[in-house]
Amino acid sequence: MNTTENTDAPDYRVDASGAIAVTEAGLAIDRAYREAERAFDALQHCWAGACLAGLFVRHPWLQSLRATLSASAEYDDQGGTYRSISSAVTQAVPVAGATLPDSVIDEGTFDELGAIAVIEADLDECALNLYSSIHTAPDDYADLLLDLSRTAIEPLMNGAAISGAEAYRGWFPEGSTNPAVG
């Protein structure tokens, strides 16, 4: 039995009264872990910003849209569940005077339903990661409502690489790290 106390090692200790306390080294690990979590969440937001900015880069005709990412619990073959994400786009608006691709034109005019189909197909590729990157609570199933406009990131769209962090802040300014959860 070792009776020497080593408070430099990360550990929890129980004193004579039964109270549990963490050592200073343990507190340091906890602080580093919390900081790493914050940094990881910030990196996830950067990815989300880049993913969403990519929609506007790939679709230069797109001015704005509303996307709803909905989560649901689905059962797997082993009797467990997993979070499944579906996306729905509404209010797809073209850039005024933009040249429109054939996929969003019907009888010579802008076809909002065609545009929605194009954007949803693009968004479906990353919906789960996008939802998880913005809405980081792993057990939460709240819908995520995203109102996105090219205007918010227009200064970043100059032909150079777009910073995901700057795009995210363009749509979700500081303090709004959890956009429109409802």
Side-chain angles (χ1 to χ4, degrees):
M1 173 184 232
N2 184 355
T3 59
T4 307
E5 281 206 29
N6 180 1
T7 58
D8 292 336
D11 199 359
Y12 284 90
R13 307 251 179 214
V14 179
D15 68 17
S17 71
I20 298 174
V22 65
T23 62
E24 283 300 317
L27 286 173
I29 288 174
D30 186 63
R31 285 189 296 271
Y33 178 76
R34 301 292 170 221
E35 183 56 34
E37 280 185 317
R38 284 189 292 277
F40 183 75
D41 286 349
L43 184 60
Q44 292 290 86
H45 292 161
C46 294
W47 183 87
C51 177
L52 293 170
L55 284 174
F56 289 89
V57 169
R58 289 185 299 277
H59 306 290
W61 54 267
L62 182 62
Q63 176 59 44
S64 63
L65 65 99
R66 170 173 277 183
T68 303
L69 301 177
S70 299
S72 63
E74 302 293 332
Y75 291 97
D76 62 25
D77 293 340
Q78 290 77 36
T81 61
Y82 62 93
R83 186 166 61 179
S84 176
I85 307 299
S86 62
S87 59
V89 174
T90 59
Q91 302 175 22
V93 177
V95 172
T99 302
L100 301 174
D102 291 341
S103 57
V104 301
I105 297 174
D106 185 32
E107 297 182 10
T109 62
F110 177 69
D111 175 20
E112 184 178 13
L113 293 178
I116 287 170
V118 166
I119 299 302
E120 282 181 346
D122 196 337
L123 202 52
D124 280 346
E125 294 295 318
C126 64
L128 175 61
N129 291 333
L130 186 58
Y131 183 92
S132 300
S133 295
I134 295 174
H135 194 50
T136 56
D139 296 332
D140 202 335
Y141 287 80
D143 285 356
L144 191 57
L145 179 66
L146 305 172
D147 286 315
L148 304 172
S149 174
R150 177 179 295 276
T151 305
I153 62 166
E154 191 74 46
L156 306 175
M157 300 189 73
N158 56 17
I162 297 172
S163 160
E166 290 180 32
Y168 190 87
R169 282 191 301 270
W171 284 306
F172 317 114
E174 206 65 39
S176 66
T177 58
N178 208 1
V181 175

